Amino acid sequence: MKKEDIQHLEKLMNFLSLHFLKKNNWEDVTKTEWSYIGAEINDLIISDYSEKRISKEPDILGSNYLYEHLIINKLRKFQHNSNAVLSRPNLAKLSQIVKVLGYSNYIDFINSNTESFNFNDLRIDMNNVKQNTALLDRLAGCWYSYNRNLPENPLQAKDERIWRSAMEIYKSETTGEYFLERSGGDHHKYFGKVTAYSDYVFIIMNSNTFIRQRHFISRIKDIKEKLKNPEYKLHELHFISTCISFNQEPIALFEIFQKADRKTFISDSISFPIDSDEIPPSILKQLEDTESNRIDYR
């Protein structure tokens, strides 16, 4: 393996560490945790085979493939001796791992994950108010965000599309802040900070490739009473989202965040026609109500 190959493999292992455990570095993941990640990936592989109705048995990972083959025999060996002769891992195996995470193949993954998020650039602090950490803890997890881009010309109505972005809210192990990472088309990524005061939720978000800051605000009525019930779960959040468009005019859109099951979560953005059967009827109904949920900035 060349040094570049090792760097690519390290990028993959760091990605898996962050995606499944919210740990930034592969070195912070234990053998048991690598076994857990392997099991999660195998579940995704099995689900993928089932959805595609592939008749042959799924080619799943061995129980210690990630830890023993990639960590111990590749990254650790190189770490201890940069001149060590190391065989390349099976490219098909690596591609299989990233495919179930939304990428076309291993090369696509390498080319797509060059971004670094600067969360410190985001500021949503409010003085003299106490964060609603109980609510923030309920927000942590995987979500889908449904938002609609309306055509300027009404004659294009048949081409209306709804975008479903995949995103995750999680608590930073180092700062204790609540962060958000969200997908866009062609593996474009957004990153943000989340906070909550009283019964309001605030999000500020930016992109890793261009400055297009977005702000979200939501209110959950009677949340203090609801949080007293340990069984209470948040399934859906309604946000007013504002952003600065490419022509520098402020736009406001209504968006719906829907909680997702991690095991069936697709970490990528998907574009649906407005009449798609895959859009939940309740969400479609609200997004079609353009009079109440879209502000005419002109």
Side-chain angles (χ1 to χ4, degrees), residues 141-149 162-169 180-190 205 212 214 216 241 255-260 265-272 279 283 287:
C142 298
W143 297 80
Y144 287 122
S145 170
Y146 293 86
N147 64 301
R148 179 199 58 253
N149 294 323
I162 291 177
W163 292 82
R164 185 188 77 172
S165 296
M167 65 180 188
E168 185 164 8
I169 297 172
L180 181 152
E181 293 181 25
R182 176 172 174 174
S183 71
D186 299 322
H187 297 302
H188 183 72
K189 297 291 177 65
Y190 294 88
M205 193 182 301
R212 194 187 183 194
R214 301 194 66 178
F216 296 77
S241 160
E255 298 197 19
I256 300 173
F257 290 9
Q258 190 177 68
K259 202 77 177 273
F265 186 63
I266 302 171
S267 57
D268 203 0
S269 177
I270 299 172
S271 176
F272 293 118
I279 301 172
I283 288 177
L287 292 176

Side-chain angles (χ1 to χ4, degrees), residues 269-285:
S269 177
I270 299 172
S271 176
F272 293 118
I274 200 165
D275 58 354
S276 171
D277 291 335
E278 295 192 50
I279 301 172
S282 61
I283 288 177
L284 183 61
K285 183 179 178 181

Side-chain angles (χ1 to χ4, degrees), residues 149-163:
N149 294 323
L150 293 175
E152 292 291 331
N153 185 346
L155 297 176
Q156 296 175 328
K158 60 181 174 56
D159 294 324
E160 282 185 351
R161 306 190 75 79
I162 291 177
W163 292 82

Side-chain angles (χ1 to χ4, degrees), residues 2 24 67-68 82 95 98 181 199 212 231-232 236 243 251 257 293:
K2 297 177 182 178
N24 292 317
Y67 181 74
E68 292 184 0
S82 59
S95 288
V98 297
E181 293 181 25
D199 51 2
R212 194 187 183 194
E231 302 299 318
Y232 173 71
E236 199 171 284
C243 70
I251 300 173
F257 290 9
N293 67 45

